[in-house]
Amino acid sequence: MAKATARHILVASEAKCNELKAEIEAGADFADVAKQHSTCPSSRDGGNLGSFGPGQMVKEFDTVVFSAPVNVVQGPVKTQFGYHLLEVTSRQD
């Protein structure tokens, strides 16, 4: 069965999400940005969501996590919780 590990940053607006993505693409550390800005409890661990399989996260996450290239920041991804930046850190298909 497919498994992935990922980390994310959750914020309230698409504009903030785009701003943080630009910071990361300019060289800011994903984990540091997550600790400073993410409203998810995972922010304490740099946004780390651990390992999970298909169907364990919301549909919008699954779509990105099981199709996006590894180690490339994706987003904004809108879910019922807000706007996310997602980074797949590893995947076994």
Side-chain angles (χ1 to χ4, degrees), residues 16 18-29 33 36-37:
K16 184 67 173 176
N18 282 320
E19 179 187 316
L20 297 177
K21 185 176 185 180
E23 283 182 27
I24 293 164
E25 288 174 342
D29 182 68
V33 174
Q36 291 172 23
H37 298 282

Side-chain angles (χ1 to χ4, degrees), residues 18-83:
N18 282 320
E19 179 187 316
L20 297 177
K21 185 176 185 180
E23 283 182 27
I24 293 164
E25 288 174 342
D29 182 68
F30 190 102
D32 289 343
V33 174
K35 286 175 185 171
Q36 291 172 23
H37 298 282
S38 183
T39 59
C40 179
S42 69
S43 65
R44 287 190 299 273
D45 192 23
N48 188 12
L49 296 169
S51 179
F52 52 91
Q56 290 185 268
M57 297 287 181
V58 293
K59 182 178 154 306
E60 298 90 344
F61 260 52
D62 267 13
T63 302
V64 174
V65 169
F66 291 99
S67 67
V70 174
N71 297 319
V72 177
V73 177
Q74 304 294 315
V77 177
K78 187 178 189 316
T79 70
Q80 70 213 42
F81 303 105
Y83 292 88

